[in-house]
Amino acid sequence: MAILRTCTALACVAVAASARQLPLVADDSYNPAPSSPIVVSNGTSNGTVIDTKKLQADIDINKLVARAEALSKIADLSLSEYNHPTRVIGSQGHLGTVDYIYSELSKLGDYYNVTNQTFPAVSGNVFESRLVVGYEVPKSASPMSLTPPTKQHEPVYGKLLLVPNGGCSASDFSRNMTGHIALIKRGTCSFGDKSANAGKAGADAAIIYNNDNSTLSGTLGSPSPYHIATFGVSAAEAAPWVAALQNGTTGLDAIAYIDSTVDEIMTTNVIAQTTAGDPENCVMLGGHSDSVAAGPGINDDGSGTISLLEIATQLTKYEVNNCVRFGWWAGEEEGLLGSTYYAEQLSAAENQKIRLFMDYDASPLIPNGVFQIYNSTNGQNPAGSGELRVLYEDWYKEQGLNYTYIVFDGRSDYVGFLDAGIPSGGIATGAEGIKTKEEASIFGGEAGSQYDPCYHELCDDIHNLDLTEWEANTKLIAHSVATYAKSFDGFPKRVAAVEERSLSGSKKSTPQFKYRGNELIM
Ligand SMILES: *[C@@H]1O[C@H](CO)[C@@H](O)[C@H](O)[C@H]1NC(C)=O
Ligand SMILES: *[C@@H]1O[C@H](CO)[C@@H](O)[C@H](O)[C@H]1NC(C)=O
Ligand SMILES: *[C@@H]1O[C@H](CO)[C@@H](O)[C@H](O)[C@H]1NC(C)=O
Ligand SMILES: *[C@@H]1O[C@H](CO)[C@@H](O)[C@H](O)[C@H]1NC(C)=O
Ligand SMILES: *[C@@H]1O[C@H](CO)[C@@H](O)[C@H](O)[C@H]1NC(C)=O
Ligand SMILES: *[C@@H]1O[C@H](CO)[C@@H](O)[C@H](O)[C@H]1NC(C)=O
Ligand SMILES: *[C@@H]1O[C@H](CO)[C@@H](O)[C@H](O)[C@H]1NC(C)=O
Ligand SMILES: *[C@@H]1O[C@H](CO)[C@@H](O)[C@H](O)[C@H]1NC(C)=O
Ligand SMILES: *[C@@H]1O[C@H](CO)[C@@H](O)[C@H](O)[C@H]1NC(C)=O
Ligand SMILES: [Zn+2]
């Protein structure tokens, strides 16, 4: 996320102090030496074959909470630079998170082969922005993430020019836009393409207006040298400008100002694979190790990071039949960077070894959350995605828990895997969406309020966890690992058409999803 939020030193201290008063665990910080004996196997296990009931029984909420406390302290490593805790890529808090994951896994002997995957990522910050059209300051104006600044980080003045046909092709820019500000309708192609096309035509800035009544806050995605400073505005606020320009008005002056940076940095995924189990048939699962800049991300996705780490630890008690591979992705919040990089780097042979990918992004139910299953179906997604959905349904039913479906729309790390032809699915808990009356009746909580009021905020701290539900979802994750580590019976074989999908077919010029991570891309 691009908006850098700061807090006063005082407010940050208050947050850090209140986290320490949590009555959830015994006084001390996370103690790396586990209190109950954990048999660390070196891949020649003690003979106990993986069993879902046993692995689920090994999930202890106190161990999850102890790890959440450790992660909170790690997020505080960013205080000197950000004035508040964060684990955004490039921060000390994120470097500390990667170190923590790596060192915890290293304690597990050679049960796992642990590797780092370092890759280039983009990181953007918008420090200040302003848009004026005519005499109005549009309230809905919001700079796109990963937008470059206006020239010299100074305001630019120009006439607003309406771009015909949505600005997806060079021929929409027959007018010389030099010294002007392009007004472009949302739709058909990505915001990044529109911005680059306007930039090529010489525009100083671009305004993309919405084609529905929602707010328009998106990202330009992968940087291009042609991108220009770009805002999103609502359809309602743009309507009078569009009408005036369509009517031949030439006098609509505008001022655009964005002070921002877009930097390329190196960041790291951590991958751990069991040394035992059939290496040709792996169950893979992942969560993202980073947070947004605005806060410590203890739920999003500290919780998923921790659930995976704890399951990886408990799994060492057992013998697996199939290989289990864990991934902790960096740069999810900047547009699913780590998981996409990982999936794209797989050779055709390596790709085939991954039978499925399970995405665990923010698994605990936040206080007003819901149990959601990605609506991963077989027709639209690689075969196996549907079977995985059924595994989650069956588990919630068995526990007597209600669940709903959430659209599989590109908002988390499964995208790169789907694009690579790998069956995928996962669970979620609601994020920034608004709870409906029906959901309140089956899950409790408050209708009309955000599921997670702390989504991508400073308050996504250790208090933003519902422990009962976190434990439940972690047991479900354990169940998914144990099931496939034991057997892929009845689970569809990978199809060899992957190359086809990933090398030609699915590399469409228009993106498959409206989202890439938490932000709209088109
Ligand atoms: C793994 O542990 C077993 C039992 O402790 C030991 O006999 C064996 O030599 C170890 N194998 C390796 C590769 O370290
Ligand atoms: C992997 O990254 C961790 C955490 O940053 C680091 O401690 C470790 O040395 C790295 N390992 C390798 C093999 O590069
Ligand atoms: C560990 O994994 C890496 C990356 O997949 C691989 O190159 C390496 O050969 C593996 N090492 C062992 C001992 O299996
Ligand atoms: C566009 O207009 C600018 C300024 O009026 C001028 O310098 C430039 O040459 C024009 N470009 C084209 C391609 O006509
Ligand atoms: C948007 O809102 C306006 C009035 O507020 C309404 O007339 C219109 O139908 C809405 N459009 C959509 C797509 O919801
Ligand atoms: C369009 O132009 C006509 C004629 O100049 C004018 O009467 C009308 O008010 C204009 N409409 C808008 C929306 O500017
Ligand atoms: C293997 O380890 C598990 C988990 O710690 C334990 O319950 C079981 O008794 C052990 N089995 C043997 C044969 O040592
Ligand atoms: C799930 O997806 C399928 C196929 O894309 C669709 O037909 C179905 O209506 C969706 N179900 C829900 C509950 O969203
Ligand atoms: C599930 O939803 C029903 C209403 O459809 C409700 O009566 C029940 O209490 C809910 N179960 C749980 C465990 O929340
Ligand atoms: Zn997330």
Side-chain angles (χ1 to χ4, degrees):
M1 260 294 280
I3 298 162
L4 183 73
R5 287 162 221 247
T6 52
C7 59
T8 65
L10 260 178
C12 290
V13 167
V15 166
S18 64
R20 254 179 246 118
Q21 289 159 10
L22 246 205
L24 299 170
V25 245
D27 59 359
D28 59 352
S29 58
Y30 175 63
N31 176 2
S35 48
S36 61
I38 289 177
V39 180
V40 176
S41 158
N42 56 12
T44 58
S45 94
N46 79 354
T48 304
V49 175
I50 182 67
D51 172 87
T52 180
K53 291 278 181 285
K54 286 183 184 154
L55 190 63
Q56 290 183 60
D58 290 334
I59 301 307
D60 173 354
I61 187 64
N62 295 314
K63 289 185 177 151
L64 298 176
V65 170
R67 290 186 186 278
E69 298 231 307
L71 210 56
S72 296
K73 293 209 170 89
I74 289 167
D76 287 346
L77 296 173
S78 298
L79 282 173
S80 59
E81 195 185 349
Y82 287 79
N83 268 334
H84 61 245
T86 174
R87 299 182 305 103
V88 69
I89 55 167
S91 69
Q92 291 301 315
H94 187 251
L95 293 173
T97 303
V98 172
D99 281 346
Y100 173 70
I101 294 166
Y102 191 90
S103 70
E104 289 297 295
L105 292 166
S106 299
K107 288 176 190 162
L108 304 175
D110 49 11
Y111 191 88
Y112 295 104
N113 175 9
V114 184
T115 51
N116 294 341
Q117 185 181 45
T118 295
F119 64 96
V122 282
S123 159
N125 279 308
V126 176
F127 303 106
E128 244 189 313
S129 70
R130 191 164 171 84
L131 181 67
V132 182
V133 177
Y135 297 100
E136 305 286 318
V137 174
K139 286 192 194 63
S140 66
S142 152
M144 296 264 171
S145 291
L146 299 178
T147 174
T150 42
K151 279 179 199 158
Q152 270 87 51
H153 299 252
E154 295 288 347
V156 293
Y157 303 80
K159 297 228 180 291
L160 207 57
L161 294 186
L162 184 64
V163 175
N165 306 324
C168 292
S169 118
S171 62
D172 294 352
F173 294 85
S174 53
R175 285 168 82 174
N176 182 345
M177 310 267 323
T178 301
H180 298 305
I181 295 171
L183 180 62
I184 311 172
K185 187 176 185 166
R186 178 182 176 193
T188 312
C189 63
S190 68
F191 302 139
D193 286 351
K194 290 172 194 276
S195 179
N197 288 340
K200 282 181 199 160
D204 281 341
I207 304 171
I208 298 173
Y209 64 96
N210 213 343
N211 55 9
D212 64 31
N213 281 350
S214 57
T215 57
L216 185 57
S217 154
T219 180
L220 296 186
S222 303
S224 150
Y226 297 110
H227 281 169
I228 50 174
T230 303
F231 287 91
V233 299
S234 70
E237 283 195 295
W241 315 334
V242 174
L245 293 169
Q246 278 173 341
N247 209 11
T249 300
T250 54
L252 207 48
D253 291 314
I255 305 172
Y257 167 55
I258 295 179
D259 181 16
S260 64
T261 54
V262 178
D263 300 309
E264 188 166 285
I265 59 170
M266 299 305 283
T267 187
T268 300
N269 293 329
V270 181
I271 313 295
Q273 175 170 327
T274 54
T275 47
D278 177 0
E280 301 301 311
N281 286 286
C282 297
V283 46
M284 182 155 195
L285 65 162
H288 64 93
S289 61
D290 61 316
S291 74
V292 292
I298 299 303
N299 178 23
D300 182 11
D301 187 23
S303 61
T305 289
I306 289 168
S307 294
L308 264 54
L309 205 45
E310 186 56 25
I311 289 167
T313 303
Q314 298 303 326
L315 186 64
T316 60
K317 295 175 182 171
Y318 305 102
E319 191 173 283
V320 291
N321 297 326
N322 294 315
C323 123
V324 180
R325 194 185 295 176
F326 294 84
W328 285 267
W329 314 122
E332 191 268 357
E333 300 290 5
E334 281 68 24
L336 316 178
L337 304 179
S339 55
T340 305
Y341 182 85
Y342 178 84
E344 284 178 350
Q345 293 291 310
L346 293 167
S347 66
E350 283 299 322
N351 175 308
Q352 287 292 305
K353 295 177 184 172
I354 305 175
R355 294 290 296 270
L356 81 164
F357 173 72
M358 309 186 295
D359 183 51
Y360 295 121
D361 189 355
S363 11
L365 204 69
I366 50 250
N368 198 36
V370 288
F371 286 123
Q372 295 173 326
I373 301 174
Y374 290 131
N375 187 22
S376 57
T377 51
N378 276 349
Q380 296 190 322
N381 304 292
S385 308
E387 279 75 3
L388 177 58
R389 195 187 77 167
V390 170
L391 175 130
Y392 298 130
E393 292 165 352
D394 288 349
W395 190 87
Y396 283 126
K397 282 180 200 157
E398 189 190 304
Q399 308 298 313
L401 295 170
N402 294 319
Y403 59 85
T404 56
Y405 298 100
I406 179 173
V407 285
F408 211 35
D409 61 357
R411 291 194 61 175
S412 192
D413 286 311
Y414 50 81
V415 176
F417 290 88
L418 290 178
D419 283 349
I422 298 169
S424 305
I427 53 174
T429 51
E432 85 288 11
I434 305 295
K435 185 174 267 188
T436 63
K437 280 204 186 93
E438 298 70 43
E439 288 167 340
S441 77
I442 65 171
F443 296 110
E446 207 179 314
S449 298
Q450 215 166 286
Y451 300 119
D452 180 1
C454 290
Y455 176 72
H456 286 184
E457 300 285 346
L458 183 57
C459 60
D460 185 6
D461 58 20
I462 196 154
H463 303 282
N464 194 34
L465 299 168
D466 180 311
L467 302 187
T468 312
E469 313 301 344
W470 187 13
E471 187 170 31
N473 269 351
T474 307
K475 284 177 190 281
L476 172 51
I477 301 171
H479 171 62
S480 69
V481 171
T483 300
Y484 298 118
K486 186 165 195 175
S487 169
F488 282 116
D489 284 356
F491 195 84
K493 291 246 181 306
R494 283 295 309 281
V495 278
V498 168
E499 291 83 343
E500 209 181 288
R501 264 185 79 95
S502 65
L503 299 180
S504 58
S506 78
K507 291 285 168 198
K508 296 173 232 145
S509 53
T510 46
Q512 184 184 357
F513 298 116
K514 279 204 308 190
Y515 284 95
R516 184 117 200 147
N518 63 74
E519 290 181 308
L520 287 166
I521 55 170
M522 70 177 287

CSV table of all heavy atoms in Angstrom, one decimal, residues 25 38 91 112 151 175 178 217 261 285 304 315 385 449 502:
chain,number,residue,atom,x,y,z
A,25,VAL,N,-0.8,-14.6,27.6
A,25,VAL,CA,0.2,-15.6,27.8
A,25,VAL,C,1.0,-15.2,29.1
A,25,VAL,O,1.0,-14.1,29.5
A,25,VAL,CB,1.3,-15.6,26.7
A,25,VAL,CG1,1.3,-16.9,26.0
A,25,VAL,CG2,1.2,-14.4,25.8
A,38,ILE,N,9.3,-31.7,21.6
A,38,ILE,CA,9.0,-31.9,20.2
A,38,ILE,C,10.0,-32.8,19.6
A,38,ILE,O,11.2,-32.6,19.7
A,38,ILE,CB,9.0,-30.6,19.4
A,38,ILE,CG1,7.7,-29.8,19.9
A,38,ILE,CG2,8.9,-30.8,17.9
A,38,ILE,CD1,7.7,-28.4,19.3
A,91,SER,N,11.4,-2.9,5.3
A,91,SER,CA,11.6,-2.4,6.7
A,91,SER,C,12.3,-3.4,7.5
A,91,SER,O,12.4,-4.5,7.2
A,91,SER,CB,10.2,-2.1,7.3
A,91,SER,OG,9.5,-3.4,7.6
A,112,TYR,N,13.4,-30.5,7.2
A,112,TYR,CA,13.1,-29.6,6.1
A,112,TYR,C,14.4,-29.2,5.4
A,112,TYR,O,15.4,-29.0,6.0
A,112,TYR,CB,12.4,-28.3,6.5
A,112,TYR,CG,11.0,-28.6,7.1
A,112,TYR,CD1,10.8,-28.5,8.5
A,112,TYR,CD2,9.9,-28.8,6.3
A,112,TYR,CE1,9.5,-28.7,9.0
A,112,TYR,CE2,8.6,-29.1,6.8
A,112,TYR,CZ,8.5,-29.0,8.2
A,112,TYR,OH,7.2,-29.2,8.7
A,151,LYS,N,6.1,16.0,-12.2
A,151,LYS,CA,7.4,16.5,-12.6
A,151,LYS,C,8.1,17.3,-11.4
A,151,LYS,O,7.4,18.2,-10.9
A,151,LYS,CB,7.4,17.4,-13.8
A,151,LYS,CG,7.3,16.6,-15.1
A,151,LYS,CD,7.2,17.6,-16.3
A,151,LYS,CE,6.6,16.9,-17.5
A,151,LYS,NZ,6.0,17.9,-18.4
A,175,ARG,N,-4.8,13.3,-30.0
A,175,ARG,CA,-4.4,14.6,-29.7
A,175,ARG,C,-3.0,14.7,-29.0
A,175,ARG,O,-2.7,13.8,-28.3
A,175,ARG,CB,-5.4,15.3,-28.8
A,175,ARG,CG,-6.7,15.6,-29.5
A,175,ARG,CD,-7.8,16.0,-28.5
A,175,ARG,NE,-7.7,17.3,-28.1
A,175,ARG,CZ,-8.6,17.9,-27.3
A,175,ARG,NH1,-9.7,17.1,-26.9
A,175,ARG,NH2,-8.5,19.1,-26.9
A,178,THR,N,0.7,17.0,-24.7
A,178,THR,CA,1.8,17.7,-23.9
A,178,THR,C,1.2,18.9,-23.2
A,178,THR,O,0.5,19.7,-23.7
A,178,THR,CB,2.9,18.1,-24.9
A,178,THR,OG1,3.4,17.0,-25.6
A,178,THR,CG2,4.0,18.8,-24.2
A,217,SER,N,-9.8,3.2,-5.9
A,217,SER,CA,-8.5,3.3,-5.4
A,217,SER,C,-7.7,2.1,-5.9
A,217,SER,O,-8.2,0.9,-5.6
A,217,SER,CB,-8.6,3.3,-3.8
A,217,SER,OG,-7.4,2.8,-3.3
A,261,THR,N,7.5,8.2,-4.3
A,261,THR,CA,8.6,7.5,-4.7
A,261,THR,C,8.2,6.1,-5.1
A,261,THR,O,7.3,5.5,-4.5
A,261,THR,CB,9.7,7.4,-3.6
A,261,THR,OG1,9.1,6.8,-2.5
A,261,THR,CG2,10.3,8.7,-3.2
A,285,LEU,N,1.6,-25.1,0.6
A,285,LEU,CA,0.8,-24.1,1.2
A,285,LEU,C,1.6,-22.9,1.5
A,285,LEU,O,2.9,-23.0,1.6
A,285,LEU,CB,0.1,-24.6,2.5
A,285,LEU,CG,1.0,-25.0,3.7
A,285,LEU,CD1,0.1,-25.0,4.9
A,285,LEU,CD2,1.7,-26.3,3.5
A,304,GLY,N,-1.4,-16.0,9.5
A,304,GLY,CA,-1.1,-17.0,8.6
A,304,GLY,C,0.3,-17.5,8.6
A,304,GLY,O,0.6,-18.7,8.6
A,315,LEU,N,4.5,-30.8,12.6
A,315,LEU,CA,4.6,-31.9,11.5
A,315,LEU,C,5.8,-32.7,11.7
A,315,LEU,O,5.8,-33.9,11.3
A,315,LEU,CB,4.5,-31.2,10.1
A,315,LEU,CG,4.4,-32.1,8.9
A,315,LEU,CD1,3.1,-32.9,8.9
A,315,LEU,CD2,4.6,-31.4,7.6
A,385,SER,N,-9.0,-27.8,-7.7
A,385,SER,CA,-9.4,-26.6,-6.9
A,385,SER,C,-10.7,-26.9,-6.3
A,385,SER,O,-11.0,-26.5,-5.1
A,385,SER,CB,-9.5,-25.4,-7.8
A,385,SER,OG,-8.3,-25.2,-8.6
A,449,SER,N,-21.2,-3.4,9.7
A,449,SER,CA,-19.8,-3.0,10.1
A,449,SER,C,-18.8,-3.8,9.3
A,449,SER,O,-19.1,-4.9,8.9
A,449,SER,CB,-19.5,-3.2,11.6
A,449,SER,OG,-20.4,-2.4,12.4
A,502,SER,N,0.5,-21.8,-19.3
A,502,SER,CA,1.3,-20.7,-18.8
A,502,SER,C,2.2,-20.0,-19.9
A,502,SER,O,2.5,-18.9,-19.7
A,502,SER,CB,2.2,-21.2,-17.6
A,502,SER,OG,3.1,-22.2,-18.2
